[in-house]
Amino acid sequence: MAEPSTDTSIIRDISLLYELALSAGASLDLRQNCEVFLRMLMARRNLSFAGVWLRNDCLPGREAEGDEEPRATLVYGAPTFRVGTTSLPLAHPQFRLLADGRQGASVAAASDPEGFAALVAERGVEGGVYLLLSLGRLGLLKLYTAFRREPYGERTLHQLRPVIAKFATSLEGCLAYARLRREVQERELAERALRESEEKFRRLIETASDAIFIVDAESRQIVDVNREAEALTGWTRNELTSLDILDLYHAEEQQQLRARFDGFVRGLPRSLRGLCELVHKQGHRVPVELSASTVEVAGRRYALAIMHDVSERLRAEEQRQRLQAQLQQLQRMESLGTLAGGIAHDFNNILGGILGHASLLLRRLPPGDPLRAHAEAIQSTAEHGAQLTQRLLTFARRGAVEAEPVDLNAVVEDTLAIVRRTFPGSIEIEARLAPALPRIEADPAQLRQVVMNLCLNARDAMPHGGRLTVETASVDLAEGGLAGLAPGSYVRLVVADTGIGMDRDTIDRIFEPFFTTKVKEKGTGLGLSIVYGIVNSHGGLVEVESAPGAGARFLVYLPAARATGAPHPEPAAGRAAPAAGGAAAAASPLARAPQARAEQGPRQRILVVDDDAQIRSLLASALDAEGYQVLAAADGLEAVELLERTRAAVDLVVLDMVMPRLDGIATFGRVRALAPHARVVLSSGFSDEVEITRLLDQGADAFVAKPYRMGTLLETVRALLASAAEADGGRPADAAATG
């Protein structure tokens, strides 16, 4: 059918084509470009509607939707109206009309089952014609006019094709621009997300409390670090990022670490954990706890190493172990002290019997008798044994302490004066005494023995000469500073030598009684035990620092004398308080026996209370020989029962302090109640000074330390009974309590 002549009016002249060509591609925005082109086309040729349908796989962002069937979407329609759908499958009839490469088609509106038919019905028009124009691979352009009844002819389609082709090209540009803009936006979003991620990562690692190193797995070069890494190593970030990670370790360890690192980056093992030491920029070592793992970023492997400074933890652990070792040593020495004290107590009883019998022999043998020499030898040997037990008691911290304010510097100077005169000239002696040193509450004689024993030990450790240094200082100890010492002010004595030193095993045993590294003729192994006992009896502590070939340092801590009203550090738990006993008690205030002699009066009655049968028998014999009436009891309970049963009058009681069943303290109270006017002589070789002093304050009259010469005890008995007779004005002996 021939196309009506009026069809030529769609494209009237070249100027219209030119205007349409110019309008195509007027904008890179898809909708705006469609609007400019189609509104011009519609206005010029009285079109009712125009719509652009583009394939989904050509639209930016919808290429990979993976629909079950290919579809096209209405991306622009003018004017706006309601349609049944904005998405059609490519199998729809209007797309089939342009199949087989056809560039355009024109059909009557009645043949369109949906879409524009709604517009026809809505506007009350009848009929109308569609013009379908191909946009190439993009989709199609659909035009509609309600003012025609016949489809457009081929000539009109042919005239529109160049303009539509240019419009299609402009749409390609718009879509390319949309894709580019989308890619740019996505890239900007990705870059922003990356920046935010990097910022978040940077904040995380910068605020981390541990040092973080990022290391290139292939080259081992440090890529990045945080501030803690700078603080840990002393190097700046710029300096660190120019280093191999192995440069942070000591040279002698780098070879081994290189092999471990190479295996680690190959995945054997998958992670690294453990303790190691970095070398600080200043040269000192820093112990760290390392945790490392590998990560792959953009195809490149990195090692992420996190290092935690464990210096404080290790120092605390060392301090804990040192305090634990000190505590164990204190407990061990306490056990040894208890053992030594018990042995000394038994020795004192044995030696008391020997000394007593020797004294009786000497009293009965006339001068010139050849047996006197043997008796004197027995007495001398027993007294030597008594000195040995006194040393054991000193170690066991049971010796008497005559405490008074003492200037430690003066004690050191006096002792060093002797040392300088007697030590070999090959030993250089140096004193470093702190000025204005606080005084300490101590027994001066025992303190001199401490200084001298430590100096003698230093001398023996330097057989070929060396340097002996004695220092004093005032120190304040905080809570937990030294195991066994309460916080407070202390005076420290340090005796150091440059001798052969000691290993750990020797240090652990050095204060044990009879332990010695010297040959038998050179020492007894009690010198340092005595130091330990004396220092501990004064509420102090001895520490030793030594290593083979590095000399030794003995550090003695003694509580500074308290000011008036100021608290004094108490002995630590597990440390026994000083007590009386042994030969030293002869010079102690505890031995307060009257020294006056008196003539013997009527046969006075004496009660001997001692659990040692030999001592009890010997003392009874000696007192009986002196004309006294003697009652004997094997322990405190027997003594109390004897007094209660016999109602005997007792003038004096010789009371042992350490006994089974009822000890001396409890017995004293019972005896005092039963015989209130009887004189009481306390006797022991292993008793607490505090207990003895308390009993003396409560009315006991004297204390005689075991082992004693029989003459010393008899002298004390006579003096007490004489003073009692003078005080009583000849009153008869005390009657036992009645009722």
XYZ file of all heavy atoms in Angstrom, residues 25 36 56 162 193 236 260 277 291 294 324 326 342 451 483 597 622 654 708 712:
147
model
N 22.260 13.854 21.826
C 23.549 13.992 22.515
C 23.738 15.343 23.141
O 24.875 15.756 23.421
N 15.372 16.031 25.902
C 15.624 17.090 24.915
C 15.280 16.601 23.512
O 14.584 17.275 22.732
C 17.091 17.554 25.004
C 17.431 18.492 23.830
C 17.339 18.223 26.339
N 18.296 -4.497 29.642
C 18.866 -4.462 31.005
C 20.369 -4.693 31.014
O 21.104 -4.134 31.833
C 18.192 -5.507 31.890
C 16.770 -5.096 32.268
O 16.329 -3.981 31.950
N 16.058 -5.985 32.939
N 18.942 7.906 10.128
C 20.214 8.564 10.501
C 20.100 9.332 11.825
O 21.022 9.316 12.648
C 20.483 9.501 9.321
C 19.720 8.914 8.188
C 18.483 8.326 8.786
N 36.256 4.306 51.844
C 36.228 3.185 52.780
C 37.639 2.746 53.143
O 37.923 2.399 54.298
C 35.452 2.017 52.171
N 63.107 5.805 65.951
C 61.948 6.494 65.390
C 61.312 5.619 64.307
O 61.910 4.637 63.837
C 62.341 7.844 64.784
O 63.200 7.609 63.654
C 63.075 8.698 65.814
N 64.376 -19.372 61.742
C 63.017 -19.461 62.278
C 62.066 -18.570 61.493
O 60.935 -18.947 61.201
C 63.007 -19.069 63.751
C 63.669 -20.075 64.676
C 63.446 -19.704 66.115
N 62.039 -19.788 66.455
C 61.530 -19.340 67.596
N 62.308 -18.756 68.495
N 60.238 -19.449 67.854
N 64.471 -11.369 73.285
C 65.063 -10.109 73.747
C 65.416 -9.233 72.559
O 66.126 -9.666 71.638
C 66.320 -10.373 74.585
C 66.039 -10.916 75.967
C 67.299 -11.015 76.806
O 68.389 -11.206 76.226
O 67.190 -10.900 78.039
N 54.232 -12.344 69.643
C 53.159 -13.086 68.986
C 53.122 -12.611 67.542
O 52.912 -11.418 67.289
C 51.817 -12.831 69.682
O 50.769 -13.464 68.978
N 51.157 -14.341 59.859
C 51.295 -13.805 58.505
C 49.933 -13.444 57.940
O 48.914 -14.039 58.292
C 51.983 -14.823 57.582
O 51.226 -16.031 57.570
C 53.396 -15.108 58.053
N 60.484 -15.742 97.683
C 60.130 -17.125 98.000
C 61.353 -17.895 98.478
O 61.279 -18.672 99.436
C 59.535 -17.795 96.751
C 59.090 -19.231 96.961
C 57.901 -19.351 97.893
O 57.158 -18.397 98.065
N 57.739 -20.505 98.502
N 64.001 -16.568 99.857
C 64.344 -16.051 101.177
C 63.452 -16.674 102.246
O 63.922 -17.057 103.324
C 64.211 -14.532 101.200
C 65.281 -13.804 100.407
C 65.020 -12.313 100.357
O 63.944 -11.836 100.702
N 66.006 -11.562 99.912
N 67.647 -27.739 120.264
C 67.326 -28.955 121.001
C 68.566 -29.759 121.335
O 68.720 -30.278 122.450
N 80.693 -8.506 112.937
C 81.629 -7.832 112.029
C 82.908 -8.643 111.898
O 83.439 -8.850 110.800
C 81.923 -6.405 112.525
C 82.910 -5.715 111.580
C 80.641 -5.589 112.624
N 62.001 -10.385 102.282
C 61.195 -11.380 102.996
C 61.674 -11.477 104.436
O 62.859 -11.599 104.711
C 61.309 -12.736 102.308
N 78.128 -13.278 150.496
C 78.300 -14.582 151.120
C 77.733 -14.524 152.525
O 77.775 -13.517 153.190
C 79.794 -14.930 151.193
C 80.423 -15.075 149.824
C 80.617 -16.443 149.343
N 80.715 -17.458 150.324
C 81.595 -18.438 150.203
N 82.441 -18.431 149.219
N 81.622 -19.412 151.073
N 75.235 -32.561 145.807
C 76.039 -31.387 146.138
C 75.373 -30.564 147.243
O 76.033 -30.091 148.174
C 76.253 -30.545 144.890
N 65.143 -24.827 143.082
C 65.954 -24.763 141.849
C 65.081 -25.365 140.741
O 64.793 -26.569 140.752
C 67.268 -25.543 142.002
C 68.070 -25.464 140.694
C 68.088 -24.996 143.163
N 76.463 -25.169 134.217
C 77.096 -24.297 135.193
C 78.063 -25.113 136.048
O 77.931 -26.325 136.214
C 76.039 -23.641 136.082
C 74.962 -24.582 136.571
C 75.220 -25.536 137.557
C 73.662 -24.514 136.044
C 74.234 -26.399 137.996
C 72.677 -25.389 136.473
C 72.965 -26.321 137.448
O 71.990 -27.188 137.881
N 79.305 -22.265 141.203
C 78.506 -21.079 140.872
C 77.087 -21.227 141.408
O 76.526 -20.289 141.995
C 78.465 -20.894 139.348
O 79.796 -20.742 138.857
C 77.637 -19.684 138.971
